[in-house]
Amino acid sequence: MMPFYISPAGDDANPGTEQLPFATFQQAQRAARNYRVTNVMKDQVVQVVVRGGTYYLHETLTLTEEDSFTSFSTYSEEHAVVSGGRKLNVAWRPYRDGIFVAEVPEMLKEHLPFNQLFVNGKRQIRARYPKYDPSIPGVSGYTYPADCKLQWPHREMKFDPQKFTDKRWSKPEEAELHIFGKNYWGNLQWKIKAIDWEDHTITFGKGGFQINDVMQGEDATGIDQRSRFFIENVFEELDSPGEWYADFQNGLLYYYPMPDLNLEDAIFEVPQLQRLIEIRGTQENPVVNIGFNGFHMTQTTTTYMEKYEAPSLGDWSIHRGGAVYLEGAEKCSIEFCRFDAVGGNAIFISDFNRDHRIYGCSITDAGESAICLVGSKHLTMGSQHAYPANILVANNEINNIGFYGKQTAGVFISVGRNHTIAHNHIHHIPRAAICINDGTWGGHVIEYNDIHNTVQETGDHGPFNSWGRDRFWCLEQSHGPASHCAGDVKKDAREVVTIRNNRFVDNSGWGIDLDDGSSHYHIHHNVCIGISIKLREGDYRLVENNIFYHPANPPGIHIGYEHNHDRFLRNIIVAHSNADNPEVDINFEKGESRGKLYEFIGPPLESRWVEELDYNIFFNDLGYFKATVHFRPLGSRTEHYSIDEWKSLGWDRHSVFADPLFTDPEQGDFSLKEGSPALKLGFSEIDLSKVGLLPDFPAHYVSQ
């Protein structure tokens, strides 16, 4: 069959041919359905070809079982933008102090809501205190509270009048607070209820649900004097180029333009839709074979004040939504699309989904996470399979996400099975590049990813992070005095999660952070530069044939279970004393930081600390081996061991302290020279040539 065509210059009264195209996606959808019914064709793909231009969607394009086997693609190399925004026709006039004002009648006539403004496609800054400053992500452009009280029903924050704004806000109830938790695991948002300027008190309204505190409580969501914050949507703080404020009561838009902006020619847009595309079926009647190829998806509304949920007992709360949302679907694809400046998550795959492909996409400047694969554990009884499985996320570049939410990830997995995350380039993000929120089922393969500059605005994390707070995880084992066996962790983590052939480059502490109960992992042939690995309480982790080069922290095994099955074999650990960095702990005589090659915290009391440690290669610029063990109860005793003392305990009997003879590690070449002691111990060379994006990734998507 001939494809149907869409064009911004088309008309829905047209037949949808190349010469007489439709104007809207919805009309092409109706035509494809009619054609399929008329021609009694169920399994043949109907193609919809979209000409270049911008398509402002007035409603979400919702595809159901009737739309199965429909392919949407752009015409040749034309640039087709699918926008959830609305273009404003504004006539600016000077207001004062460099600020301009325009009447927007729709704000009054249509109650037009928005909390983002785009100028020539770029998100602008809502008037805020302190001023926006992205120079040091998560640090500059913030201030600190003087005190906080979050006990229900009193939720308030004190400010220091000597350090706070000297302006008085006429409408504080319009403002929104964005604040980090005291431990910087993420951030939270609140509507402001009131400000008492005499008592220097800010009272919170709705909000504070953006991080899961079920297990960690105040450690996760608590705020105090350490919590950086800013407050936005305050007219009196409109004082910097690029800032704006909307007066909805009077239908006025205020804007302080950048010096080089031509206001008359500029395009002003405001997002109106949460979702651009929704593919929705059921497990019994799934949507099958829907494809989107080559589109630029942009300008959806924010979701940080929408309904959040905790999909499992990991640290995360999420909004179950995205610019593209799939539920009850099979064998769908999103390929070579660009997601730019969406207000929430870019792609959300929810509950029953099978065999999708997210390939060759660029995702940048998203308000929350890039790609979320999330099931619902409580809906998986019996024959119900409300979780994603067999999803391929490959050959995508993800960067500069988490504009609003900081507990976010490039790829987030919760309650899922057998996903493949491969050949992605993920960088410059506030928290983890890849996060697995629980141990449910497992079977994932994470390979050939190039990951760097993560955890830029948060702490206690790494480029890869996971939790395993499933049915056998014990809070007393993790944070208290208990020491016992792990239990049958494979009842939840049924299939091994494989992390292999990745390059992790960072200085955030933990490169591969297997936190609280993470179990059943095989981690091999990874190169970790500036970072290492942490195995917190969990079981059945095999860590072999990895390189850990100059890690900020040594490989750590924390709070081990009795009789666990962890194995750490044939790894190369090259530590650095940081002697040229005075900010690193200088109390070396106490052995607190420099040159450590292992760190055990709270090993089991009544069994071997792990099942096996051996055939490893250790080296540092101090010239000697050091392992540190903090015994239980924590704080009671710490011991440091030389290589001979360590071997006398039964560990690393075949391991050596020697230069592994990398070819040129400072230039990223970790191949081994002839005669390397690592080769003699059975270490297998790691080939980094296949890491990262594949040759067919669009060259014009590559970030500079």
Side-chain angles (χ1 to χ4, degrees):
M1 64 159 290
M2 296 295 291
F4 293 108
Y5 287 82
I6 308 173
S7 168
D11 190 315
D12 281 352
N14 287 340
T17 62
E18 184 171 4
Q19 291 72 31
L20 296 170
F22 299 132
T24 67
F25 281 82
Q26 281 79 6
Q27 182 60 24
Q29 176 188 28
R30 288 189 285 268
R33 286 180 175 181
N34 292 336
Y35 183 89
R36 190 174 286 110
V37 171
T38 303
N39 293 274
V40 196
M41 49 179 287
K42 289 185 85 176
D43 300 338
Q44 268 187 278
V45 174
V46 177
Q47 294 183 320
V48 177
V49 178
V50 182
R51 302 301 302 263
T54 298
Y55 297 83
Y56 294 105
L57 300 185
H58 300 297
E59 60 183 353
T60 301
L61 176 62
T62 302
L63 303 165
T64 67
E65 183 192 7
E66 296 178 83
D67 302 301
S68 292
F69 294 94
T70 304
S71 169
F72 296 86
S73 61
T74 53
Y75 183 91
S76 186
E77 296 183 2
E78 294 184 359
H79 184 211
V81 179
V82 180
S83 174
R86 175 170 176 171
K87 187 176 178 180
L88 300 179
N89 294 313
V90 286
W92 296 101
R93 64 178 187 271
Y95 176 61
R96 60 170 171 77
D97 301 327
I99 301 169
F100 286 75
V101 63
E103 295 180 0
V104 183
E106 302 97 309
M107 293 167 64
L108 296 175
K109 295 178 182 178
E110 305 175 30
H111 303 288
L112 181 72
F114 57 91
N115 64 358
Q116 298 175 92
L117 175 70
F118 289 83
V119 178
N120 293 336
K122 299 296 183 183
R123 183 188 282 118
Q124 305 299 291
I125 302 302
R126 274 207 295 185
R128 53 171 278 176
Y129 176 82
K131 293 180 175 63
Y132 180 64
D133 180 357
S135 59
I136 307 176
V139 177
S140 56
Y142 288 80
T143 189
Y144 293 87
D147 193 14
C148 300
K149 185 197 296 184
L150 291 181
Q151 284 76 30
W152 183 266
H154 304 290
R155 297 177 295 177
E156 59 188 35
M157 177 176 73
K158 296 280 189 179
F159 61 85
D160 183 344
Q162 301 301 316
K163 298 178 180 179
F164 199 56
T165 181
D166 58 359
K167 302 179 176 70
R168 290 295 177 267
W169 304 343
S170 59
K171 298 180 180 179
E173 69 281 359
E174 291 184 349
E176 292 180 348
L177 169 74
H178 298 252
I179 188 167
F180 283 99
K182 62 185 180 182
N183 290 319
Y184 285 83
W185 295 350
N187 69 332
L188 305 115
Q189 287 91 8
W190 271 279
K191 296 282 189 181
I192 288 180
K193 186 176 181 179
I195 297 181
D196 187 330
W197 296 100
E198 301 303 319
D199 193 42
H200 316 132
T201 301
I202 300 173
T203 304
F204 303 165
K206 175 185 176 181
F209 43 69
Q210 294 85 6
I211 303 177
N212 181 16
D213 66 355
V214 172
M215 298 306 302
Q216 299 295 337
E218 285 291 303
D219 285 344
T221 59
I223 61 176
D224 63 15
Q225 293 91 325
R226 295 168 288 179
S227 300
R228 289 189 287 267
F229 75 91
F230 70 88
I231 298 174
E232 67 172 353
N233 200 32
V234 181
F235 178 65
E236 289 79 6
E237 302 296 340
L238 179 54
D239 56 9
S240 300
E243 288 190 338
W244 66 276
Y245 173 83
D247 179 353
F248 290 97
Q249 185 175 356
N250 296 299
L252 298 174
L253 179 62
Y254 295 87
Y255 181 57
Y256 193 144
M258 301 297 288
D260 57 350
L261 182 71
N262 185 331
L263 277 177
E264 292 184 2
D265 296 336
I267 297 173
F268 289 81
E269 298 162 306
V270 294
Q272 295 294 287
L273 294 180
Q274 268 194 27
R275 299 178 184 177
L276 302 174
I277 297 161
E278 182 171 318
I279 301 173
R280 181 180 288 276
T282 65
Q283 180 178 329
E284 293 74 20
N285 297 293
V287 186
V288 180
N289 275 303
I290 298 287
F292 284 87
N293 188 307
F295 294 95
H296 179 180
M297 313 274 193
T298 189
Q299 294 183 18
T300 54
T301 60
T302 63
T303 56
Y304 57 80
M305 293 304 295
E306 299 292 330
K307 178 182 177 182
Y308 270 59
E309 62 179 273
S312 60
L313 293 180
D315 278 0
W316 274 55
S317 288
I318 58 163
H319 171 68
R320 195 176 286 266
V324 174
Y325 179 88
L326 293 86
E327 183 173 326
E330 296 179 353
K331 299 179 181 178
C332 295
S333 63
I334 304 167
E335 298 182 315
F336 303 111
C337 290
R338 178 186 175 197
F339 290 80
D340 170 41
V342 295
N345 304 308
I347 300 171
F348 202 103
I349 297 180
S350 175
D351 291 346
F352 178 82
N353 283 277
R354 297 293 183 271
D355 304 305
H356 300 322
R357 174 180 166 94
I358 303 171
Y359 185 90
C361 296
S362 167
I363 303 176
T364 186
D365 200 26
E368 303 286 334
S369 291
I371 300 169
C372 300
L373 316 175
V374 183
S376 295
K377 189 73 173 283
H378 65 290
L379 299 178
T380 59
M381 298 84 72
S383 60
Q384 298 182 96
H385 296 153
Y387 60 89
N390 308 318
I391 311 299
L392 173 67
V393 178
N395 195 30
N396 305 287
E397 182 175 25
I398 299 168
N399 67 91
N400 293 291
I401 61 169
F403 186 84
Y404 297 108
K406 307 307 178 183
Q407 178 75 298
T408 44
V411 181
F412 175 67
I413 298 170
S414 184
V415 189
R417 190 171 198 162
N418 297 344
H419 303 318
T420 298
I421 316 299
H423 289 287
N424 301 287
H425 183 199
I426 309 176
H427 58 98
H428 292 93
I429 56 177
R431 201 144 173 74
I434 301 170
C435 178
I436 300 179
N437 201 52
D438 46 72
T440 306
W441 297 304
H444 315 304
V445 176
I446 298 169
E447 62 183 2
Y448 298 109
N449 298 286
D450 193 4
I451 296 174
H452 58 92
N453 294 93
T454 65
V455 197
Q456 293 203 302
E457 301 180 57
T458 55
D460 188 25
H461 221 39
F464 173 85
N465 186 80
S466 63
W467 290 283
R469 299 177 191 143
D470 304 302
R471 74 182 86 181
F472 294 103
W473 182 74
C474 172
L475 183 63
E476 289 299 310
Q477 168 75 16
S478 177
H479 296 280
S483 184
H484 52 72
C485 294
D488 190 357
V489 296
K490 291 185 181 180
K491 285 185 179 294
D492 293 304
R494 298 177 188 177
E495 300 177 60
V496 64
V497 174
T498 301
I499 303 176
R500 65 190 179 200
N501 299 110
N502 302 281
R503 175 167 51 205
F504 299 108
V505 183
D506 229 313
N507 58 3
S508 56
W510 305 113
I512 304 174
D513 186 357
L514 272 62
D515 218 338
D516 294 7
S518 299
S519 297
H520 206 186
Y521 278 76
H522 186 193
I523 300 169
H524 65 94
H525 287 82
N526 302 284
V527 174
C528 296
I529 303 169
I531 42 189
S532 64
I533 188 169
K534 179 179 74 179
L535 304 181
R536 202 168 168 90
E537 72 283 350
D539 207 355
Y540 295 101
R541 282 84 58 94
L542 171 57
V543 181
E544 60 175 341
N545 214 100
N546 303 281
I547 293 172
F548 304 107
Y549 184 73
H550 288 179
N553 292 312
I557 301 175
H558 299 176
I559 319 295
Y561 281 121
E562 303 285 351
H563 305 288
N564 72 73
H565 303 85
D566 291 338
R567 303 166 68 203
F568 190 88
L569 305 170
R570 294 183 179 84
N571 300 287
I572 299 176
I573 303 100
V574 177
H576 194 278
S577 69
N578 291 301
D580 56 350
N581 185 355
E583 294 183 3
V584 174
D585 179 13
I586 61 173
N587 199 354
F588 173 64
E589 291 303 316
K590 291 185 178 181
E592 293 178 1
S593 103
R594 290 188 169 172
K596 285 188 295 187
L597 294 161
Y598 275 140
E599 183 171 54
F600 281 73
I601 297 178
L605 296 175
E606 300 177 2
S607 68
R608 289 172 61 83
W609 299 342
V610 293
E611 186 172 293
E612 189 176 10
L613 294 172
D614 212 351
Y615 300 98
N616 299 298
I617 296 86
F618 304 100
F619 194 63
N620 61 30
D621 58 356
L622 296 174
Y624 55 85
F625 174 95
K626 180 175 64 174
T628 297
V629 181
H630 306 275
F631 290 90
R632 299 188 192 195
L634 296 181
S636 64
R637 180 166 67 100
T638 295
E639 298 289 346
H640 310 287
Y641 299 90
S642 68
I643 188 71
D644 291 335
E645 292 169 335
W646 190 245
K647 289 186 175 186
S648 71
L649 297 177
W651 304 123
D652 286 298
R653 288 182 172 173
H654 300 92
S655 300
V656 297
F657 181 89
D659 188 338
L661 300 179
F662 293 130
T663 299
D664 192 355
E666 299 308 315
Q667 297 301 315
D669 185 351
F670 289 90
S671 61
L672 299 172
K673 297 177 182 177
E674 185 177 351
S676 168
L679 297 174
K680 296 176 183 178
L681 291 178
F683 186 88
S684 173
E685 292 261 30
I686 301 175
D687 181 8
L688 293 177
S689 65
K690 298 179 181 178
V691 166
L693 298 171
L694 297 170
D696 61 343
F697 185 82
H700 60 285
Y701 284 173
V702 177
S703 63
Q704 302 301 316

